[in-house]
Amino acid sequence: MTYDDQIGTIGGGNHFLEVQRVAEIYDGQTANAWKLKKGAVVIMLHTGSLTIGHHSGLLNRKICQEIYPVGLTHPENKIYLIPEAYEKFNAWNRFWSVSGNAANFAFANRLFLGFMIQDVFTQVLGACDLELLYDAPHNYIWKKQIGGENYFIHRKGACCAGGCEEMTGTAYAYYGEPVMIPGSMGSSSYLLRGLGNPDALWSASHGAGRQKSRGEAVKGNDEAFRQFMEHFHVITPIDPNRTDLRGRADILKKWEESVRAEAPYAYKDIHEVIAVHTAHELAAPVARMEPVFTVKS
């Protein structure tokens, strides 16, 4: 089986590529160090390991199930423990190899998308510079030593937000780890610097977070959806205005549902989310970005 067609794709759900304009600078020193200025155009990418990540998760569950003690009741939540023990080293190493491969593919996928958007910009605008500020994975497991003991931090729906101490020896040692928190489609996104809060396990949100499930967002909300579509131009592989699609109610229905599921009213207010991060000293705002256009699958 080949997954070559996965490279350079956005994926579904809340994944996106967004061209943004820096609207506000809150921390001039950090923004200057990170080469950001008001009015600049930036790219934010949110995508991951796609189908490879899905199959990696299934394989890792299988690895854990295979070594689960016979006779014990299996966990209802299907979350299986994997011991770091000599007699289980083969399973342990397979687990981490699979996880690492998925993470590496996710990085490569984002890298390819970055090259692709740079190529588009160059074709339209001529030579332009597109420099990576930071690549921040989420939904992954990090090994960290705390109080002399080794622990594993699983950040599901969260990203790293290390402070200056955690970033010692890197280019971010004087400012903290870059934290990107996108809002809903069409709303502002924020760039922050991590403050290394141990009470939050050195973590921050990786997005505004949903206030409606995808199922709830698809149903009703007609007026909110109409206003959203009037004010924003969302680019997807399907153009609902194509003449050859006018009679394809089935395709148009699926297209509309996919857009409704990720519309702004389905998500929490991004400004309130950032205020919580600031109040609890999880991360400090550096800049706010506004969307120019959003590309979704």
Side-chain angles (χ1 to χ4, degrees):
M1 182 180 291
T2 177
Y3 290 101
D4 290 349
D5 60 346
Q6 293 273 298
I7 274 285
T9 60
I10 295 173
N14 62 354
H15 291 168
F16 65 86
L17 181 155
E18 190 165 87
V19 176
Q20 304 170 337
R21 180 184 69 86
V22 179
E24 297 287 346
I25 297 291
Y26 304 110
D27 180 344
Q29 183 178 12
T30 303
N32 183 63
W34 292 351
K35 301 180 182 178
L36 287 173
K37 61 181 179 179
K38 190 173 181 178
V41 173
V42 298
I43 311 296
M44 183 177 285
L45 270 167
H46 177 210
T47 188
S49 51
L50 310 176
T51 300
I52 287 179
H54 173 69
H55 286 294
S56 296
L58 294 177
L59 177 55
N60 271 347
R61 178 182 292 180
K62 185 174 183 291
I63 290 171
C64 294
Q65 286 176 328
E66 286 176 346
I67 63 171
Y68 197 78
V70 176
L72 283 185
T73 302
H74 285 232
E76 291 184 8
N77 59 12
K78 304 300 182 184
I79 298 177
Y80 291 84
L81 302 178
I82 181 167
E84 187 180 10
Y86 177 79
E87 62 271 18
K88 303 296 183 185
F89 264 8
N90 182 50
W92 177 266
N93 291 333
R94 286 179 65 204
F95 181 96
W96 282 104
S97 178
V98 169
S99 300
N101 285 336
N104 289 338
F105 179 85
F107 170 79
N109 188 43
R110 292 188 290 271
L111 180 66
F112 269 68
L113 282 163
F115 286 147
M116 291 162 68
I117 192 67
Q118 183 175 31
D119 186 54
V120 170
F121 273 30
T122 300
Q123 291 179 32
V124 175
L125 302 174
C128 59
D129 184 34
L130 197 62
E131 185 176 340
L132 175 66
L133 170 62
Y134 202 62
D135 182 79
H138 61 274
N139 296 354
Y140 194 64
I141 307 167
W142 285 258
K143 189 173 183 178
K144 185 173 179 62
Q145 192 170 80
I146 305 173
E149 298 287 338
N150 289 326
Y151 290 86
F152 295 91
I153 300 177
H154 182 196
R155 293 184 173 95
K156 170 64 176 171
C159 63
C160 297
C164 297
E165 181 179 348
E166 287 73 38
M167 302 309 290
T168 298
T170 75
Y172 309 100
Y174 294 103
Y175 309 99
E177 190 167 16
V179 174
M180 289 157 280
I181 305 183
S184 62
M185 182 166 48
S187 71
S188 295
S189 296
Y190 281 79
L191 175 66
L192 306 91
R193 59 182 186 87
L195 298 179
N197 189 326
D199 292 335
L201 296 178
W202 305 270
S203 306
S205 302
H206 90 286
R210 304 188 72 93
Q211 63 177 352
K212 289 178 179 288
S213 68
R214 287 184 171 86
E216 291 173 331
V218 167
K219 301 172 183 176
N221 309 295
D222 295 337
E223 180 59 24
F225 181 69
R226 183 189 64 77
Q227 291 181 10
F228 165 62
M229 294 304 292
E230 283 182 356
H231 290 89
F232 295 97
H233 183 199
V234 182
I235 302 170
T236 70
I238 295 177
D239 180 357
N241 297 315
R242 274 171 39 188
T243 55
D244 60 331
L245 290 179
R246 288 176 182 171
R248 294 302 306 271
D250 56 333
I251 294 177
L252 293 176
K253 182 175 183 292
K254 288 183 178 180
W255 169 83
E256 182 175 312
E257 288 179 348
S258 68
V259 177
R260 279 178 177 264
E262 302 302 326
Y265 52 77
Y267 285 84
K268 298 173 185 174
D269 184 287
I270 182 62
H271 309 296
E272 294 179 2
V273 172
I274 299 304
V276 170
H277 280 73
T278 303
H280 293 275
E281 299 183 339
L282 308 181
V286 175
R288 178 177 67 85
M289 290 79 69
E290 294 176 340
V292 177
F293 65 83
T294 303
V295 182
K296 292 185 65 68
S297 61

